[in-house]
Amino acid sequence: MSTIIASRKILIVPLDWGLGHATRDIPLIREMLNAGCQVFIAAEGKHAALLQQEFPQLTILPLPGYRIQYAQKGQFFGLKIIQQIPKIFRSVNYEQRWLKKIVAEYQINAVISDNRFGLYHKNIPTVFITHQLLIKTPFGGWIERTLQKINYRFINKYNACWIPDFAGNNNLSGELAHPGQLPGHVTYIGCLSRFEPQPGVTKKYDLLVLISGPEPQRSNLEKLVLDQIKQLSVTALIVSGKPGTPQHVQVAPGITQVNHLNASELNEAMLASDMVLSRSGYTTLMDLAKLNKKAILIPTPGQSEQVYLGEYLMEKGYFYSLPQERFHLKTALDEAARFPFRSFHHEQDMNQYKQVVQQFVQSL
């Protein structure tokens, strides 16, 4: 069996919507390499750079992303995305043509598509990864139902759909990945996080601030935090979410700001912090859950998925959340200190995905 598995060639393609899709695919890639597979990655730009840094031995094939543009104001976020649906369809058509050539040229045996719609193939197994079976918009109603039908139409072209979450009530995604009606071939594979708990990490920070997301909202949150944190007597590390431009400054006594941390540095910083302040992007939420961290969530304004996740997870007791327009750092820290956090980590198997990957590889 091992000689058969060793020859399997698997192509993994993350969506270019933030870095979260690329980082959450890292544990899947590791597990496939552990199973003896030959892994190819298709990506461009910072997603390709991040995965090449993590896996320098792997071949990265250039494939243009969807290159979604974001609205300057939060209230126009959803409308701006909907306007770009024709552009996404053109990209999907290109993906189909590209994949046929790549499968023939590299003799690919299976494809794992992280939320990219056009990477299904009639001759080999293909898997679609998503935590959004229901796509949230500011408009709700018939628009969400229409988007869900389009979403399912593409998902059903794949042989399997993997959901990076847990089945049942104790989950991280709520109705996004647990809607009333599911596609027929769904498997919940548990949390996908590149981070690992480590015993005995010494506490260094009262607060770790992770700033991320599209501009101008990334800069807006950074300014809010920097304006307010200097008045507080806390030890803190602020990570500005600007890879590629090194910077390390002392903002105030006990408060340091850096532009970027690599994976191992960020893993350690999270473990060394009492509290994390971050956006409610789904990959960040899986990282927080994996490391069993308390967190204050500030959803990106106008990004309906993040707004929903913040409210849902606060209601569940897993994290404290508040909107950016009401953000006041000292008040948020005081309220989070009184919040009855409930541990998600102790309720679930954080390595569930490994068994799913092993079974998939053995089926090829």
Side-chain angles (χ1 to χ4, degrees), residues 25-198:
D25 291 338
I26 288 171
L28 292 177
I29 296 168
R30 284 186 189 141
E31 202 56 32
M32 287 170 192
L33 293 173
N34 289 342
C37 297
Q38 187 177 353
V39 177
F40 296 82
I41 297 166
E44 68 170 349
K46 59 187 180 181
H47 302 81
L50 183 147
L51 291 168
Q52 189 78 81
Q53 182 182 21
E54 194 73 29
F55 302 103
Q57 78 279 24
L58 298 188
T59 299
I60 301 206
L61 305 170
L63 175 63
Y66 293 171
R67 302 179 185 178
I68 296 296
Q69 295 173 321
Y70 303 97
Q72 291 296 301
K73 294 189 176 177
Q75 65 263 39
F76 300 126
F77 189 96
L79 186 60
K80 182 79 170 176
I81 301 302
I82 287 169
Q83 285 172 344
Q84 294 172 86
I85 286 176
K87 178 169 137 181
I88 295 172
F89 275 114
R90 286 195 295 275
S91 296
V92 169
N93 290 332
Y94 176 81
E95 284 172 345
Q96 272 286 286
R97 298 192 301 274
W98 177 89
L99 184 64
K100 285 173 186 168
K101 287 193 292 188
I102 293 298
V103 167
E105 184 178 343
Y106 290 90
Q107 297 296 293
I108 299 295
N109 300 111
V111 180
I112 312 277
S113 167
D114 191 338
N115 237 124
R116 291 187 65 147
F117 295 110
L119 295 163
Y120 50 89
H121 195 285
K122 63 180 180 180
N123 297 331
I124 60 172
T126 57
V127 176
F128 189 83
I129 298 177
T130 185
H131 66 276
Q132 289 193 84
L133 296 171
L134 175 67
I135 298 171
K136 285 281 181 186
T137 74
F139 316 110
W142 69 269
I143 290 181
E144 285 185 5
R145 289 194 295 276
T146 302
L147 287 175
Q148 188 179 24
K149 282 179 185 170
I150 296 170
N151 199 22
Y152 280 27
R153 198 178 87 206
F154 282 109
I155 290 172
N156 287 326
K157 293 177 187 289
Y158 289 76
N159 301 98
C161 178
W162 289 356
I163 310 286
D165 197 4
F166 298 91
N169 281 332
N170 296 331
N171 63 67
L172 287 173
S173 61
E175 66 178 351
L176 298 183
H178 303 78
Q181 182 186 359
L182 295 173
H185 51 0
V186 160
T187 301
Y188 291 93
I189 66 172
C191 263
L192 289 180
S193 172
R194 59 189 166 148
F195 297 146
E196 293 293 338
Q198 298 162 12

Side-chain angles (χ1 to χ4, degrees), residues 186-240:
V186 160
T187 301
Y188 291 93
I189 66 172
C191 263
L192 289 180
S193 172
R194 59 189 166 148
F195 297 146
E196 293 293 338
Q198 298 162 12
V201 175
T202 306
K203 184 208 147 180
K204 290 169 69 175
Y205 310 109
D206 298 316
L207 180 65
L208 171 66
V209 180
L210 304 177
I211 296 169
S212 63
E215 294 292 3
Q217 297 301 343
R218 191 210 62 81
S219 293
N220 291 348
L221 181 59
E222 182 180 49
K223 184 176 187 308
L224 277 172
V225 170
L226 287 172
D227 287 349
Q228 297 179 30
I229 201 166
K230 295 169 190 173
Q231 283 77 49
L232 305 181
S233 55
V234 294
T235 53
L237 176 64
I238 302 167
V239 184
S240 292

Side-chain angles (χ1 to χ4, degrees), residues 10 23 194 307:
I10 300 180
T23 57
R194 59 189 166 148
V307 173

